[in-house]
Amino acid sequence: MATTCLTNYFRRDILNGVIDIGDDTIKMALYAGQSHSQTTTAYTSSGEASGTNYTAKGNTLAGATDALDNTNHVAYYDFNDTSWSSATITADSCLIYSDTVTSPTADVSIYVGDFGGSKSSASGTFQVVFPAANYNTAIIRIA
């Protein structure tokens, strides 16, 4: 089972100015039975979901919006929800990664997410809904 957290590689690369969420191509790949953790390095095809209308390496996340909550001292990013239409997919976790970064680590990981069990679509829409964009629920947040 996957963990839900920012990865160590994201923390390193954001501090070094390697990742720029606002300018990089940020993608979400879906996985079935693949264990991810805080130490996940980068995108991998191992254990990646497959099925009708799912493309390897996943979807590009659109609508990256940054915000700063000065009261709670948290910076965070939000994305538009993402979906795969007319898809037959089963997944239990996801990986958000930068498809732009090539060095020091290509396709460097940002976030690993556990869906809390297998989620499926059968010739329908497989949708990932991001939580509300605020200091304590946004997927990518730094305190």
Side-chain angles (χ1 to χ4, degrees):
M1 183 161 290
T3 303
T4 298
C5 63
L6 295 176
T7 67
N8 293 340
Y9 291 86
F10 169 70
R11 290 179 174 102
R12 176 199 67 192
D13 288 352
I14 200 83
L15 289 173
N16 288 326
V18 174
I19 293 175
D20 183 340
I21 293 173
D23 288 334
D24 289 4
T25 299
I26 306 299
K27 297 188 91 171
M28 174 186 282
L30 301 176
Y31 291 87
Q34 176 71 17
S35 181
H36 294 290
S37 72
Q38 193 169 354
T39 60
T40 296
T41 308
Y43 163 82
T44 178
S45 61
S46 177
E48 187 172 11
S50 62
T52 305
N53 289 334
Y54 179 83
T55 303
K57 295 190 90 176
N59 276 355
T60 298
L61 297 180
T65 306
D66 65 273
L68 180 62
D69 184 321
N70 282 314
T71 302
N72 295 290
H73 314 292
V74 178
Y76 56 92
Y77 262 93
D78 186 41
F79 300 96
N80 296 340
D81 297 343
T82 192
S83 61
W84 291 261
S85 299
S86 302
T88 300
I89 303 170
T90 298
D92 57 21
S93 63
C94 69
L95 173 70
I96 296 175
Y97 65 97
S98 172
D99 195 39
T100 302
V101 174
T102 58
S103 179
T105 305
D107 296 334
V108 67
S109 64
I110 294 172
Y111 170 88
V112 293
D114 181 355
F115 295 160
S118 290
K119 307 297 180 195
S120 298
S121 63
S123 297
T125 299
F126 189 102
Q127 184 174 30
V128 176
V129 177
F130 286 96
N134 63 49
Y135 79 94
N136 63 351
T137 59
I139 291 290
I140 298 174
R141 58 187 187 272
I142 301 173

